[in-house]
Amino acid sequence: MHYVSTRAASPAASQSPHSFSDILLGGLAADGGLFLPAEYPQVTGAELDAWRKLSYADLAFEILRKFATDIPEADLRALAAKTYTPEVYRNARHDESALAITPLRVLEDSNGKKLVLQALSNGPTLAFKDMAMQLLGNLFEYALAKQDAQLNIFGATSGDTGSAAEYAMRGKKGIRVFMLSPHKKMSAFQTAQMFSLQDPNIFNIAVEGVFDDCQDMVKAVSNDLEFKARQKIGTVNSINWARVVAQVVYYFRGYLAATTSNEQKVSFTVPSGNFGNICAGHIARMMGLPIDKLVAATNENDVLDEFFRTGVYRVRKSSETYHTSSPSMDISKASNFERFVYDLVGRDAARTRALFQKVETHGGFDLSGKPGSDGDEFKLVANYGFKSGKSTHEDRLATIRDVADDYGIVIDTHTADGIKVAREQVEEGVPMIVLETALAAKFNETILDALGEDAERPAGFENIEALPQRFVVMPADVEKMKAYIAANTGL
Ligand SMILES: *Cc1c(COP(=O)(O)O)cnc(C)c1O
């Protein structure tokens, strides 16, 4: 298995084929594209049958081995077994279901319409990003040990990604994490989750500024190539290929748990922002998993919904990006979307490059096929099963209330966006699985608004705000930041 860039001229790609390990620690390809397998591995009916009985860790191994062909199978199996344990994924509301890692729960089954919730937020930070990030931590440690190398992860967060990265990398040999966050701008719970980590390889840096200032500093440091190389700076952002692959696993798990034979189909609704989660669903479908529809649910930041309704991809300016009550989906452009578009345009790298260059120069592109558009591939979207919908703050509150009244469970705001849209898209005879992307405790302010009472906190999180915190406060000054990093890496 080798990997190509979505923007590569094909001769160059074949001259230097990339293995899984080559792209594991990196981000973008050198040409600015994203990596994808040269072709998608296929699953057979016999494999699906055999996989029905597997534990989550064994299923993860079976899928990973199709993508990470350059890692010895025994090592890969051990990495999956170490990652997907009931100890790591222990925050399920019900103990027995925690053993299933991503348990399903049927919410509704009436008139042939079935709505199912798949729990993906039982990991240490109570959000689905743990599903991939925990594996990434173990893969990174493994790869670095082999090369006797070290990696200093440098990133910015407004909440979920930073904490998932820190909990995945804490205590890992060869790895340090430098995570910027806007000083006093995260929720008390999110701040406590990150800052209460006492591991010496985790560096929390509260920047006197807003999230954009943090991101600008990450860009400035990354653009200093000499500094970046000397300090061995890397990232763990959502375009990382290993993160996408790790997410493919739970689509298989959801399908296998919801069906009894491979003749059956299911659909998924996915609360979406950067298109990383649903991109994994697209890959599972391309591998032959019998998925009918893949429904992208957005909040008020509806870049993706607009594309799947009209064929127009129009990224938003920061001034047009809303701060919503499902903040992890507040994105102005979907960084993994290029992977799908590459497939949609028939894996034509030159076209993909031109389209995404147009995103930079003109803020988007149009595949509607209308006069003056950039192409007519929108008509092919249905072949890939994609649908979409949008949910607003009012929808979110109403859905949280409905779900609490009807099924007796409290869902988080992002999952509420998913359920709102899933209800519009569910069809008779095809179970609709909604991916739960976070636990309600993370977004308690909105739960309180919707229900008039606090969300339940999983055991161990009761007094998290009272724990001692370890962080430094720094001005938004790139030179001071570089000096701080250098002082703490000793490089
Ligand atoms: C990151 C995140 C999302 C969006 O996932 P993408 O992969 O960016 O589409 C949705 N919900 C929660 C809770 C998240 O943390």
Side-chain angles (χ1 to χ4, degrees):
M1 164 70 61
H2 74 273
Y3 291 85
V4 295
S5 161
T6 52
R7 299 191 194 182
S10 43
S14 57
Q15 275 159 19
S16 57
H18 298 282
S19 70
F20 182 86
S21 299
D22 290 339
I23 63 171
L24 175 63
L25 299 172
L28 289 176
D31 54 30
L34 276 64
F35 288 110
L36 273 177
E39 63 228 5
Y40 293 116
Q42 297 297 302
V43 288
T44 64
E47 278 177 310
L48 279 182
D49 284 335
W51 292 358
R52 287 182 181 279
K53 301 181 241 2
L54 296 184
S55 69
Y56 194 95
D58 286 342
L59 179 65
F61 163 68
E62 293 295 339
I63 291 166
L64 283 168
R65 70 198 278 230
K66 290 180 180 282
F67 291 99
T69 47
D70 61 327
I71 297 182
E73 294 204 340
D75 293 355
L76 210 50
R77 191 187 279 283
L79 288 165
K82 179 175 165 186
T83 304
Y84 298 108
T85 67
E87 289 71 41
V88 176
Y89 295 91
R90 68 192 159 92
N91 296 311
R93 280 170 286 253
H94 307 288
D95 286 346
E96 29 140 15
S97 58
L99 297 174
I101 311 292
T102 65
L104 300 195
R105 172 173 184 141
V106 177
L107 296 183
E108 194 163 316
D109 193 356
S110 58
N111 306 322
K113 289 189 178 173
K114 192 167 178 177
L115 202 60
V116 184
L117 192 62
Q118 184 173 5
L120 301 182
S121 28
N122 297 326
T125 73
L126 314 184
F128 90 99
K129 292 194 171 68
D130 290 328
M131 293 303 303
M133 206 72 90
Q134 287 289 319
L135 179 72
L136 205 64
N138 288 326
L139 277 169
F140 275 20
E141 185 178 50
Y142 168 83
L144 291 165
K146 267 195 156 175
Q147 302 164 17
D148 196 20
Q150 62 168 297
L151 178 70
N152 296 307
I153 293 166
F154 185 46
T157 189
S158 54
D160 287 347
T161 308
S163 59
E166 291 188 355
Y167 279 76
M169 306 298 166
R170 62 188 294 200
K172 293 277 187 280
K173 283 195 251 355
I175 304 176
R176 289 185 185 82
V177 179
F178 295 87
M179 192 57 67
L180 310 188
S181 56
H183 189 35
K184 296 189 172 160
K185 302 275 188 325
M186 295 190 293
S187 76
F189 184 90
Q190 285 177 317
T191 307
Q193 242 188 343
M194 290 178 54
F195 291 7
S196 65
L197 288 178
Q198 300 296 330
D199 308 73
N201 72 327
I202 303 296
F203 299 86
N204 281 305
I205 305 165
V207 174
E208 291 168 326
V210 295
F211 176 63
D212 282 336
D213 298 317
C214 300
Q215 228 168 8
D216 287 347
M217 293 224 283
V218 172
K219 274 187 210 142
V221 170
S222 303
N223 288 339
D224 181 343
L225 297 181
E226 190 275 325
F227 180 84
K228 197 177 157 194
R230 180 159 38 89
Q231 293 297 331
K232 306 188 188 309
I233 301 284
T235 58
V236 287
N237 49 24
S238 90
I239 57 159
N240 179 285
W241 170 248
R243 275 181 71 179
V244 177
V245 175
Q247 294 172 168
V248 170
V249 179
Y250 52 71
Y251 285 88
F252 277 84
R253 172 48 113 219
Y255 173 80
L256 295 170
T259 60
T260 50
S261 113
N262 307 337
E263 306 305 308
Q264 296 163 284
K265 288 197 165 194
V266 306
S267 294
F268 286 91
T269 298
V270 187
S272 292
N274 269 322
F275 205 76
N277 194 350
I278 200 165
C279 183
H282 164 66
I283 290 164
R285 196 175 183 277
M286 296 299 279
M287 292 170 73
L289 188 68
I291 296 175
D292 186 28
K293 298 281 177 324
L294 282 168
V295 184
T298 72
N299 63 21
E300 290 87 337
N301 297 295
D302 57 354
V303 189
L304 292 168
D305 181 43
E306 181 173 7
F307 177 79
F308 287 113
R309 278 186 296 104
T310 65
V312 176
Y313 182 60
R314 182 175 61 86
V315 303
R316 312 295 198 249
K317 301 191 192 76
S318 357
S319 60
E320 297 172 339
T321 307
Y322 305 105
H323 266 293
T324 74
S325 46
S326 44
S328 302
M329 290 155 51
D330 292 347
I331 56 100
S332 50
K333 70 174 149 186
S335 51
N336 277 287
F337 188 55
E338 182 167 337
R339 289 193 157 112
F340 169 64
V341 170
Y342 178 66
D343 284 339
L344 182 67
V345 299
R347 300 205 134 206
D348 180 338
R351 285 228 33 229
T352 308
R353 187 177 339 115
L355 290 172
F356 283 88
Q357 272 166 1
K358 197 162 175 202
V359 172
E360 297 309 317
T361 55
H362 291 77
F365 54 76
D366 178 352
L367 296 179
S368 67
K370 293 191 178 134
S373 64
D374 304 292
D376 63 356
E377 284 86 353
F378 180 58
K379 67 175 191 283
L380 304 176
V381 162
N383 299 347
Y384 295 88
F386 275 97
K387 292 270 184 186
S388 70
K390 167 179 173 175
S391 162
T392 65
H393 182 69
E394 289 311 312
D395 295 324
R396 221 164 282 138
L397 295 181
T399 307
I400 290 168
R401 272 186 222 115
D402 275 6
V403 169
D405 289 347
D406 295 350
Y407 319 120
I409 58 169
V410 177
I411 53 168
D412 97 288
T413 52
H414 308 76
T415 308
D417 291 332
I419 291 188
K420 189 270 179 178
V421 172
R423 283 177 159 165
E424 297 164 353
Q425 297 283 346
V426 59
E427 287 171 328
E428 242 174 80
V430 184
M432 173 64 84
I433 301 178
V434 181
L435 298 184
E436 171 209 81
T437 55
L439 289 195
K442 278 200 112 161
F443 302 96
N444 191 49
E445 294 81 355
T446 309
I447 304 301
L448 206 52
D449 276 354
L451 302 177
E453 55 187 66
D454 288 322
E456 183 194 336
R457 282 201 181 180
F461 289 87
E462 296 86 352
N463 283 316
I464 187 170
E465 290 95 337
L467 296 175
Q469 300 193 347
R470 184 171 167 270
F471 64 102
V472 295
V473 180
M474 287 187 66
D477 178 325
V478 176
E479 290 315 314
K480 287 201 172 117
M481 185 63 59
K482 286 183 184 168
Y484 178 80
I485 293 174
N488 285 291
T489 61
L491 292 170

